[in-house]
Amino acid sequence: MQAENVIGGFTLTDTHTHIYYQAGTPNLAEQMNRCFENSVNRLFLPNVDLESIPQVMDTVKAYPENCFAMLGLHPCSVGEDYKQVLDSIEQEIPKHKIYAIGEIGIDLYWDKSTLAWQQEAFRRQINWAKDLGLPISIHCREAFDEVFEILDAEQDGRLFGIFHCFTGSLEQAKRAIALNFVLGIGGVVTFKKAGLDAVVKEIPLEHLVLETDAPYLAPVPYRGKENESSYLFHIAQKVADLHEISIEKLAEITTNNSIKVFNI
């Protein structure tokens, strides 16, 4: 249940996908087959809460050569019981092979009232990652100042990872890179009025990885529809065009970047 051949002779890596939402349905095999047809052969899966852990692990079990797990508590899943939930997730970590703590961070788009809880959950999970020698996958929505404040305080040389779904300015991109993070570039780079294309064009490719965040944020030409990891091909083509290189070269560079982050 894995790709026997790399179509086109190159490998694209989706560093952030929720394809595991399809676990237990025929859609999973269908979507994975479309991934293989589009050279998407490496997929990294962040859970969002306790309930999603079995879905992640079932997907990894079905595609052990292609799918790789992360564990964490999504900031939008941080509620009054977050301390107990974090305790439960922490107990799950030794039971599984994981490659990052994620997705974690701060989201002030949906609910600003939980900021203090989100900040504490973020700090605690950052320290899991540092103690385990793992990267983190950061969710940051309308919260760059708050995220950077914590990263500045926690960076002791052991902190690294990916700014998932990066949509910030060039200045914010450079600040993230200076903090030892690479930028996860997704479907927004294909949106005409988003402005992310201008930022990505200015960032050396050594600081970029690719992602879909499927089933969210589908790239053009699928914008507004449900996203899936096979659509990473369109994101890769856009970034390759911005840097005036072939998609094969772009795939090589960004996959190598992902290998450096996840150590696989």
Side-chain angles (χ1 to χ4, degrees):
M1 299 178 70
Q2 63 195 57
E4 297 299 329
N5 297 296
V6 178
I7 306 300
F10 60 91
T11 292
L12 289 167
T13 299
D14 188 346
T15 61
H16 197 108
T17 173
H18 302 276
I19 196 171
Y20 60 84
Y21 289 162
Q22 310 300 327
T25 76
N27 291 338
L28 179 60
E30 293 170 6
Q31 289 196 12
M32 288 299 296
N33 285 335
R34 285 194 289 272
C35 283
F36 301 149
E37 291 167 1
N38 286 279
S39 301
V40 182
N41 294 289
R42 288 161 44 86
L43 301 89
F44 287 83
L45 284 49
N47 76 307
V48 293
D49 53 22
L50 270 174
E51 290 69 28
S52 56
I53 293 175
Q55 292 176 298
V56 170
M57 297 309 165
D58 286 349
T59 304
V60 169
K61 185 177 180 180
Y63 295 92
E65 300 299 317
N66 307 101
C67 293
F68 309 96
M70 312 182 209
L71 282 183
L73 182 63
H74 191 293
C76 292
S77 298
V78 172
E80 289 187 24
D81 63 345
Y82 77 95
K83 292 182 180 179
Q84 293 92 330
V85 174
L86 286 174
D87 287 342
S88 297
I89 293 176
E90 188 173 17
Q91 291 169 14
E92 287 291 316
I93 292 174
K95 301 176 185 178
H96 309 282
K97 178 60 178 175
I98 65 170
Y99 294 88
I101 300 297
E103 67 189 273
I104 65 176
I106 299 177
D107 188 310
L108 297 181
Y109 177 80
W110 294 108
D111 190 350
K112 295 180 175 63
S113 70
T114 61
L115 175 60
W117 297 343
Q118 291 186 49
Q119 289 169 319
E120 178 55 33
F122 190 26
R123 289 189 191 96
R124 182 170 167 186
Q125 293 178 95
I126 284 172
N127 280 284
W128 294 352
K130 291 197 293 188
D131 290 344
L132 293 166
L134 292 175
I136 62 173
S137 179
I138 298 175
H139 174 106
C140 174
R141 191 170 188 189
E142 297 193 1
F144 273 109
D145 290 345
E146 291 79 4
V147 165
F148 280 135
E149 180 182 9
I150 289 177
L151 296 181
D152 284 337
E154 295 290 344
Q155 182 55 273
D156 58 2
R158 296 183 295 159
L159 182 56
F160 67 106
I162 299 173
F163 252 85
H164 149 61
C165 193
F166 182 82
T167 55
S169 66
L170 183 59
E171 179 184 0
Q172 289 165 333
K174 291 178 178 178
R175 187 172 178 185
I177 291 166
L179 281 162
N180 206 24
F181 286 85
V182 296
L183 311 179
I185 305 302
V188 176
V189 76
T190 69
F191 300 173
K192 285 186 177 179
K193 297 182 180 179
L196 183 60
D197 55 347
V199 174
V200 168
K201 192 172 183 178
E202 296 298 319
I203 300 296
L205 289 173
E206 66 198 70
H207 302 302
L208 303 180
V209 292
L210 304 179
E211 63 166 74
T212 60
D213 198 23
Y216 315 108
L217 294 172
V220 173
Y222 301 102
R223 186 176 183 182
K225 299 178 181 179
E226 185 172 293
N227 197 8
E228 59 179 77
S229 285
S230 64
Y231 297 165
L232 189 70
F233 186 90
H234 299 279
I235 297 166
Q237 187 63 67
K238 177 65 175 181
V239 176
D241 290 345
L242 289 170
H243 281 264
E244 299 180 348
I245 62 172
S246 68
I247 192 171
E248 290 85 356
K249 187 63 176 176
L250 188 280
E252 177 187 354
I253 293 170
T254 54
T255 286
N256 283 340
N257 293 345
S258 77
I259 292 170
K260 291 175 185 175
V261 172
F262 294 112
N263 197 32
I264 186 171

